[in-house]
Amino acid sequence: MGLIFLLLCAALLSGCTVPEDSSEPRRSTSVAEADIAKTPGVTARIGRAYDGLTPYLSVNVELSEAFTGDEAALLDHVLAQVWSQDEDAPKKYVTLGVSGPGRTAETTSAALASLGISSMKYAGSAVSLIGADLVARYGEWPGPVPTVGSPIASAGHLPDLNTIESKTARASLVSSGLIDSWK
């Protein structure tokens, strides 16, 4: 009787393994940060933060004078890297702080607006990003791993600026005074 029980348990347990999910890339925040750091003059920190009990994803980008590229293309690359890691989920929202010579919340918001990503001032030089815009641009989280350097070499792909979401974002940015008009 004991032998039958052991054989039955062994047979049942052999079918209880969970196969590893290989459908999505498994990327840590440190890998995404390392890919961002391949751009001269750029470092980034990605991590979980809390506003009271509300979790959110915090992204801090530091630019030195060695960075001479286009800020919008850089932020597109940074956000694609952030969106491709699956260690820390965006949860409710994402904040983005960009520091360095001449960088303010206003310059960051203007660069993001050129990508079709709405933002609003959060604290200091940080802005809060609209999650729906990130999903529209980068897909469901976690997104695919971007090719290192490709968005910096070109302007990246621009969203359709005639969608209802983009028109709403434009109106919000104009009414908030972040931009004068949408050109």
Side-chain angles (χ1 to χ4, degrees):
M1 183 73 154
L3 181 61
I4 294 173
F5 178 74
L6 288 175
L7 289 174
L8 182 59
C9 287
L12 288 173
L13 291 176
S14 68
C16 290
T17 60
V18 177
E20 185 175 333
D21 180 11
S22 60
S23 63
E24 296 283 342
R26 303 286 304 168
R27 295 188 84 218
S28 67
T29 56
S30 61
V31 169
E33 290 168 349
D35 282 348
I36 293 167
K38 291 178 181 175
T39 303
V42 180
T43 57
R45 291 182 317 279
I46 305 164
R48 167 82 41 240
Y50 291 88
D51 186 358
L53 297 175
T54 304
Y56 65 94
L57 190 59
S58 175
V59 180
N60 294 295
V61 179
E62 298 170 17
L63 303 178
S64 73
E65 292 179 3
F67 174 73
T68 58
D70 177 65
E71 186 170 354
L74 172 69
L75 293 181
D76 194 28
H77 175 70
V78 166
L79 291 172
Q81 290 290 341
V82 168
W83 211 247
S84 71
Q85 61 79 33
D86 58 1
E87 183 175 340
D88 288 320
K91 300 285 183 187
K92 298 286 183 185
Y93 57 94
V94 176
T95 62
L96 173 65
V98 180
S99 61
R103 310 300 181 197
T104 64
E106 291 76 20
T107 60
T108 300
S109 288
L112 291 167
S114 74
L115 299 171
I117 300 172
S118 302
S119 63
M120 59 186 178
K121 189 164 177 138
Y122 182 71
S125 65
V127 296
S128 179
L129 307 179
I130 308 301
D133 289 350
L134 296 172
V135 170
R137 186 157 183 93
Y138 306 108
E140 292 296 322
W141 182 86
V145 177
T147 305
V148 177
S150 63
I152 295 172
S154 66
H157 67 283
L158 293 176
D160 179 1
L161 297 178
N162 293 314
T163 65
I164 291 172
E165 293 84 5
S166 292
K167 288 178 181 178
T168 303
R170 269 188 293 209
S172 174
L173 288 170
V174 171
S175 68
S176 69
L178 289 175
I179 61 173
D180 293 327
S181 65
W182 193 273
K183 298 176 184 173

